[in-house]
Amino acid sequence: MTIISNDDSGIKTKNKHSALKNPNIKAESIEYDQTFENSIRPKDFDNYIGQSELKETLKVILEAAKKREKPLDHMLFYGPPGLGKTTIAGVIAAQMGVDIKITAAPALERPRDIIGILMSLKGGEILFIDEIHRLNKVAEEILYPAMEDFIIDMTTGKSQTAKTLRVPIPKFTLIGATTKAGELSSPLRDRFGVIHRLEFYTIEELTKVVERTAKILQIDITEAGAKAIAIRSRGTPRIANRLVKRVSDFAIVKYDGIIDEKVANESLDILKIDEFGLDNTDRALLNLIIEKYDGGPVGIETIAAALSEDVRTIEDVCEPYLLQAGLLQRTPRGRKVSPEGYRHLGIKAPSEQKTLF
């Protein structure tokens, strides 16, 4: 579990000098790498780029909660990974002036795990649970009364001496994040007062994200260079931020240190990321369906086995963007490559495929 306070300036290195096995690496560089994610996360809505509809809604909700002097309603954010669910939770906490405790559902295996967190909360604090759809049933049952009535039902003793205690806890706000909202149980989903899907970013929004990240990291970049990176970022800020660092490496070593359109495109070509943002795994998936299964339909388990990939990786990492970009289609019988997918790979679609679409 991670606890982040309002005034967090980043994660400090415990022993910088012990890590200096290479005398050419400065302690400041090690600390810089460890605090990268935290340093580029926005702390307010003005610096949070994208998700305009959600931001406007949250501003109203937060202002109303402040005027009522009551905790926020519980919130659920869902959508593909990397779109800023954790970041928006941090912004909400900062705007409300409260601390946020961050954990992940797989870490809450035993009842005492979730009870311990709930008992440690202070009034108004935010509890953020990532991948909340993976909570087990016991943890969910403990959360129900905590979310509704701010109490925890606990059992003491054994057999005939067993007693049920209702322990009050401070009023808090639960923010859940998930990539699979459909896997949440109905009783848990219904207890959230705010439910919102995060959308993929536009090229314009991602260009601003790239420019902002480059400015924070003191990387020289042109507007055209930022747009070139944004185009290949699959509509996802997390990927855009990662590509900024990788392209910056190439710019420093192979070019003059400035990322322009030419440097960005050549660097991303070397990284095997094409103009659609597809990497080797994405192209291998599409080529597999076309070459081995005549363009589909084919089941996800078959695809995963043929690629030696985990089904969850394909569903959570590869598929969302391929579907969004119109390169892949889901049918009741399995996955099919769309005509746009054929065109992107430079493969002529069979005549029967054209008639079907």
Side-chain angles (χ1 to χ4, degrees):
M1 179 181 69
T2 304
I3 302 178
I4 299 177
S5 297
N6 264 352
D7 56 354
D8 260 3
S9 57
I11 302 171
K12 300 299 182 183
T13 306
K14 292 182 179 179
N15 188 347
K16 294 186 282 189
H17 299 290
S18 65
L20 298 180
K21 296 180 181 179
N22 185 341
N24 296 319
I25 299 177
K26 296 181 180 180
E28 291 81 7
S29 299
I30 297 174
E31 184 172 284
Y32 167 86
D33 286 337
Q34 290 182 344
T35 61
F36 168 66
E37 285 292 335
N38 190 62
S39 66
I40 63 175
R41 290 187 190 275
K43 300 297 188 295
D44 54 53
F45 287 118
D46 292 335
N47 289 309
Y48 186 97
I49 299 168
Q51 311 298 342
S52 300
E53 182 182 335
L54 173 59
K55 285 195 298 185
E56 293 305 312
T57 301
L58 287 176
K59 286 178 182 178
V60 174
I61 293 173
L62 267 59
E63 186 63 28
K66 288 178 181 178
K67 290 184 177 180
R68 293 192 188 105
E69 297 183 352
K70 292 183 177 181
L72 294 165
D73 284 346
H74 304 300
M75 302 182 183
L76 176 66
F77 299 132
Y78 67 99
L83 296 185
K85 294 184 283 293
T86 305
T87 301
I88 197 69
V91 171
I92 291 170
Q95 295 299 295
M96 291 298 294
V98 299
D99 289 347
I100 177 172
K101 293 187 177 181
I102 299 177
T103 188
L108 307 175
E109 294 182 352
R110 296 163 297 185
R112 68 183 184 187
D113 296 328
I114 185 69
I115 290 175
I117 293 176
L118 292 173
M119 294 286 286
S120 69
L121 290 172
K122 299 176 183 176
E125 276 191 335
I126 291 175
L127 172 60
F128 178 81
I129 301 180
D130 198 12
E131 295 302 310
I132 196 170
H133 67 275
R134 295 176 65 184
L135 277 178
N136 60 45
K137 293 298 181 184
V138 175
E140 280 193 22
E141 293 292 339
I142 294 171
L143 269 181
Y144 294 158
M147 292 174 70
E148 282 192 321
D149 304 316
F150 302 106
I151 57 174
I152 299 176
D153 291 327
M154 301 176 65
T155 303
T156 61
K158 295 181 180 180
S159 63
Q160 295 181 347
T161 62
K163 294 181 180 180
T164 301
L165 302 177
R166 310 206 86 182
V167 181
I169 59 175
K171 293 184 178 180
F172 71 100
T173 298
L174 173 64
I175 298 181
T178 176
T179 55
K180 295 183 176 181
E183 292 190 8
L184 258 73
S185 64
S186 295
L188 179 59
R189 186 170 55 247
D190 292 343
R191 283 172 168 80
F192 287 99
V194 178
I195 301 177
H196 201 285
R197 173 184 169 82
L198 274 68
E199 304 292 342
F200 281 108
Y201 280 50
T202 64
I203 300 299
E204 292 74 19
E205 290 171 340
L206 281 176
T207 300
K208 293 179 181 178
V209 170
V210 171
E211 290 175 336
R212 177 181 178 275
T213 301
K215 182 179 180 180
I216 293 173
L217 301 180
Q218 299 181 340
I219 296 170
D220 292 325
I221 191 168
T222 67
E223 184 177 349
K227 185 174 182 180
I229 294 176
I231 289 172
R232 305 196 192 198
S233 296
R234 302 167 65 102
T236 307
R238 182 183 295 164
I239 295 176
N241 290 331
R242 187 182 75 232
L243 293 183
V244 170
K245 289 194 71 180
R246 297 289 71 79
V247 173
S248 175
D249 294 340
F250 282 94
I252 292 171
V253 175
K254 299 175 68 73
Y255 303 95
D256 59 3
I258 300 174
I259 302 176
D260 57 19
E261 185 176 12
K262 178 175 178 293
V263 170
N265 285 330
E266 289 183 359
S267 301
L268 292 170
D269 286 341
I270 294 173
L271 293 169
K272 304 297 183 184
I273 298 173
D274 65 26
E275 64 275 12
F276 250 100
L278 306 191
D279 57 20
N280 287 333
T281 302
D282 301 312
R283 289 189 292 273
L285 188 153
L286 295 175
N287 278 314
L288 172 74
I289 298 176
I290 292 173
E291 295 172 3
K292 303 294 184 182
Y293 303 100
D294 298 323
V298 58
I300 187 68
E301 291 83 4
T302 302
I303 295 173
L307 292 175
S308 298
E309 287 282 358
D310 181 62
V311 172
R312 186 183 295 274
T313 300
I314 294 176
E315 288 182 329
D316 294 347
V317 179
C318 300
E319 273 196 349
Y321 182 70
L322 293 176
L323 293 167
Q324 175 80 9
L327 304 176
L328 189 70
Q329 294 181 338
R330 275 183 179 174
T331 73
R333 296 173 57 198
R335 276 62 171 173
K336 300 178 71 171
V337 177
S338 70
E340 183 64 33
Y342 277 90
R343 284 192 291 270
H344 177 67
L345 295 175
I347 301 174
K348 185 177 180 181
S351 55
E352 59 269 20
Q353 179 93 355
K354 295 179 180 177
T355 57
L356 282 173
F357 293 98

